[in-house]
Amino acid sequence: MTPDPQFPSSHRRPASRKKRKALAGGIAAVAVLAGAGLLGGQPWANAASSITFDTGTGLTFAVNTTNGNVTSLKHDGTELTASGQAAGQFESGWSSATVTSQSFNSGASILVSATNSSIGVTQYYFARKNDNTLYMATDITKALNPGEARFITRLKSSLLTTSPVAAKTSGTTSTVEGSDVFAFASGQTASKFFSSQRLIAQTPFGASGNGHGAYIIAGNNDMTSGGPFFRDIEVNDTGTAVNITHYMFSGHQQTEALRLGLHGPYALAVTDGESPTVHSMDFLSSYIPGLLSNAQRGGVTGTASGSWNGLTATVGLAGTNGQYWGSVKSGKFVIGHIKPGTYTATLYAGELAVGTPKTITVTAAATTSLAVTGNVPAAGTLFQLGTFDGTPAGFLNADKIETMHPSDSRMAAWTASSYSVASGAAKFPMAEFKSVNSPMALNFTLASVPANGVKLRVATTSAFAGGRPAVTIGSYSSPSSASPAPANLDSRNVTRGTWRGINTTYTFTVPASALKAGSNTLSISTISGSSGATFLSPNFIFDGLALDPA
């Protein structure tokens, strides 16, 4: 089977002396399944407390028949599951579920299905001999309450000692905010949110140590919400357990609704410590109900053009049937393995949507052509801070915010008496917080005053608690109509390591009477109908600032 990076898959380990021992256990497991009538490929459920499967090469797992939780995950006979926890469960687990099992290939493969009809979710587990991987998919048929969809495994931190440092909250001495951001005595911070990766660049994630490794392979994320640049919790070592999470949907600065349908496939790979190799999961379409094979999907190829100021361009598709994306190379892009349906196509320069979105319909076993175009906003001619790319890159502390809370002792100071355009974006904070650094004074120089005044653009990537900019220059103060309330995502943003929200640009027209030749001062304030303490006060994140003649 040809490897396909969009569809990660199995981790196979070469045969060893451990394999012979594991095979013996595998034969015993097959015998148990045969006695239960599984080898004929028929659904099965009984009063046994768990369904156990041994791959024969190191991985053995058990699924509880009462609630559908994975209660045991062993590697080479060593239990990896944290004491008193589940080795795998949807959300925080169920009290009850209808659990069935089906075997294939003379007992060499098994599919376990756990259904909770009250919330409308079925969790699938698939495994096969000689493959140390637990493959999964989650069928979500109705809205969830609480509105979160995740698979989480909780493993022994005493064994799996290596995981993302910024997300290790073990040993912290105080709580910074909520119950999810903490600080050490040094003032450095840690949070489960600081392990996240953008979906477009996501690689297998997990933990390793002492000859063991456990990694989530997230698949193509085609039913996840948020787009190519969304990020969410992945790994968190609490000291009690290493939690490894595959998020399919959350309210963590989420810009899209939950997609109903079959999420996945995705996988939990158990290794000797190394990160698993990524291969195709297309074979699972023969076993998991409702999973379309690559042959039942379509593709999109096309061209992308425009002025992007050297930024990487991406074409993204979004619809009720899924989300997909492809990078633009030499003006061309290819997006494969798309579920049939109608999608909105968007061109991104960096993380900024440019041009006009288009509607496209994808059909099975066919390739559809698409041409998209768009330009990044023009740079300011009187001054420019930052780059219009949909991110705060280049601004003060932007290089730290993904893995540190704004209060972290490693952060540069968020406050100063004033800032200067001449000092560049690197000296200007990436975010403004109503109770921390609002207002901020930015000094700039005009060689002469434009006859019709100036136009100021303040581009933002995200907002919290209704935070948005208002400005004052000389005798001019912007009216409230120039700062409409942003979309309410009802979620913290920059304090949880993300700037990804809804990009918004605010435009202010300043009359010539408020300006003077020489030095001027722009005061930027955070306004909102809400309030809050320090970094949980209303805020917004800068993408760029530009000044032009009106």
Side-chain angles (χ1 to χ4, degrees):
M1 185 175 292
T2 302
D4 185 338
Q6 290 199 58
F7 287 79
S9 179
S10 63
H11 172 75
R12 297 173 182 256
R13 195 177 66 179
S16 67
R17 58 185 181 85
K18 292 182 179 179
K19 176 180 178 180
R20 293 192 294 273
K21 179 180 178 181
L23 279 173
I27 294 170
V30 171
V32 171
L33 297 177
L38 289 181
L39 299 188
Q42 298 300 316
W44 167 82
N46 72 2
S49 62
S50 64
I51 299 168
T52 302
F53 188 80
D54 186 340
T55 65
T57 50
L59 169 64
T60 304
F61 69 93
V63 178
N64 184 288
T65 56
T66 299
N67 56 28
N69 287 344
V70 180
T71 55
S72 175
L73 187 75
K74 292 182 179 180
H75 178 238
D76 290 342
T78 298
E79 182 62 66
L80 303 183
T81 311
S83 176
Q85 303 290 340
Q89 56 191 192
F90 179 79
E91 292 181 342
S92 296
W94 301 324
S95 59
S96 64
T98 300
V99 180
T100 61
S101 181
Q102 189 172 0
S103 70
F104 303 90
N105 308 317
S106 300
S109 304
I110 189 172
L111 175 69
V112 180
S113 306
T115 300
N116 186 318
S117 57
S118 65
I119 67 170
V121 174
T122 296
Q123 181 70 29
Y124 294 105
Y125 302 102
F126 178 89
R128 57 185 179 176
K129 292 295 181 182
N130 302 315
D131 185 354
N132 291 339
T133 310
L134 179 58
Y135 298 95
M136 292 168 281
T138 307
D139 190 19
I140 305 173
T141 62
K142 54 187 179 183
L144 300 173
N145 184 20
E148 186 169 273
R150 67 177 184 181
F151 170 84
I152 183 168
T153 180
R154 305 180 193 274
L155 307 178
K156 292 179 179 177
S157 55
S158 58
L159 282 177
L160 306 178
T161 55
T162 301
S163 62
V165 173
K168 285 193 173 188
T169 55
S170 174
T172 53
T173 58
S174 61
T175 300
V176 176
E177 70 177 50
S179 56
D180 49 32
V181 184
F182 306 93
F184 296 93
S186 64
Q188 295 185 8
T189 56
S191 173
K192 59 187 177 183
F193 289 97
F194 299 160
S195 63
S196 61
Q197 304 174 79
R198 299 187 309 163
L199 296 184
I200 193 172
Q202 193 176 46
T203 58
F205 54 90
S208 63
N210 296 290
H212 309 287
Y215 296 86
I216 290 288
I217 305 174
N220 66 351
N221 283 302
D222 65 351
M223 291 295 283
T224 302
S225 299
F229 313 116
F230 185 74
R231 57 200 309 141
D232 217 323
I233 300 165
E234 293 182 348
V235 186
N236 175 213
D237 184 345
T238 66
T240 302
V242 178
N243 304 320
I244 309 172
T245 308
H246 172 58
Y247 261 99
M248 292 161 270
F249 181 79
S250 77
H252 303 151
Q253 196 71 358
Q254 183 56 256
T255 59
E256 291 187 302
L258 167 70
R259 287 186 168 91
L260 298 180
L262 186 67
H263 291 246
Y266 54 98
L268 175 61
V270 175
T271 75
D272 293 335
E274 71 280 8
S275 182
T277 302
V278 175
H279 298 296
S280 174
M281 290 189 195
D282 190 43
F283 74 95
L284 291 168
S285 62
S286 298
Y287 304 100
I288 296 177
L291 179 61
L292 297 183
S293 68
N294 290 346
Q296 295 171 301
R297 298 168 181 249
V300 173
T301 62
T303 60
S305 60
S307 174
W308 308 325
N309 288 345
L311 298 171
T312 299
T314 303
V315 176
L317 306 180
T320 56
N321 286 0
Q323 59 171 9
Y324 304 88
W325 45 78
S327 297
V328 177
K329 298 179 180 180
S330 301
K332 299 179 180 180
F333 66 92
V334 176
I335 307 174
H337 306 161
I338 305 168
K339 293 179 182 177
T342 300
Y343 299 87
T344 298
T346 303
L347 173 62
Y348 298 92
E351 294 188 12
L352 183 66
V354 296
T356 302
K358 290 190 174 183
T359 299
I360 186 171
T361 298
V362 176
T363 56
T367 299
T368 304
S369 297
L370 174 67
V372 291
T373 186
N375 303 316
V376 296
T381 56
L382 297 176
F383 78 67
Q384 172 83 30
L385 279 186
T387 302
F388 292 130
D389 63 357
T391 84
F395 284 98
L396 184 72
N397 289 328
D399 59 333
K400 303 178 181 69
I401 203 65
E402 294 177 40
T403 57
M404 302 178 199
H405 188 269
S407 66
D408 194 291
S409 58
R410 293 166 289 182
M411 287 282 181
W414 291 94
T415 58
S417 58
S418 65
Y419 302 92
S420 172
V421 166
S423 297
K427 300 293 185 180
F428 192 81
M430 61 162 287
E432 185 176 277
F433 304 85
K434 187 176 182 181
S435 297
V436 175
N437 59 346
S438 175
M440 292 196 294
L442 178 64
N443 299 319
F444 65 96
T445 300
L446 291 177
S448 61
V449 176
N452 295 320
V454 296
K455 180 177 68 175
L456 172 69
R457 289 172 286 157
V458 180
T460 65
T461 73
S462 177
F464 172 68
R468 68 267 195 193
V471 304
T472 297
I473 301 179
S475 60
Y476 170 82
S477 292
S478 61
S480 58
S481 59
S483 302
N488 181 15
L489 299 183
D490 193 25
S491 170
R492 289 172 286 161
N493 53 8
V494 70
T495 62
R496 297 201 295 200
T498 183
W499 58 71
R500 181 71 279 124
I502 297 175
N503 291 91
T504 305
T505 297
Y506 299 86
T507 302
F508 307 93
T509 301
V510 182
S513 59
L515 304 167
K516 58 184 179 179
S519 180
N520 293 265
T521 299
L522 163 65
S523 178
I524 305 173
S525 300
T526 301
I527 61 172
S528 171
S530 301
S531 60
T534 60
F535 296 105
L536 285 180
S537 61
N539 68 60
F540 61 89
I541 302 167
F542 289 101
D543 177 15
L545 298 95
L547 190 70
D548 297 279

